[in-house]
Amino acid sequence: MEEKIGINIKEASEIMGISKQLMTELTKLKDFPCIKFERRIVINKPMMIEWFNKNSGRIIV
């Protein structure tokens, strides 16, 4: 079985090692790799890792 590329807030927060609340806030950033379907948010896992690498050292307020 192939690994899925679309993950939810809980899965993404576990991968990133942050709270679900903080992950939800990250999805509000314009450049964060996610798609919003009404109340459901799907995060592109490979792009999230790439986004994290590109933004390491950045201060997000």
Side-chain angles (χ1 to χ4, degrees):
M1 184 174 169
E2 288 187 35
E3 186 176 344
K4 62 183 180 175
I5 61 169
I7 58 177
N8 62 33
I9 295 285
K10 182 177 184 274
E11 293 166 324
S13 68
E14 290 171 356
I15 291 167
M16 296 278 279
I18 60 176
S19 70
K20 290 191 306 184
Q21 182 180 358
L22 181 54
M23 180 54 66
T24 300
E25 291 300 313
L26 283 177
T27 65
K28 295 176 184 177
L29 296 175
K30 187 175 183 178
D31 65 335
F32 193 80
C34 65
I35 298 173
K36 297 174 185 172
F37 300 102
E38 295 181 15
R39 296 182 66 196
R40 182 167 168 79
I41 298 172
V42 179
I43 299 163
N44 182 309
K45 181 181 175 183
M47 290 180 72
M48 177 188 74
I49 294 167
E50 183 179 326
W51 178 90
F52 180 81
N53 291 331
K54 285 182 180 177
N55 288 281
S56 291
R58 176 178 166 195
I59 298 174
I60 300 173
V61 184

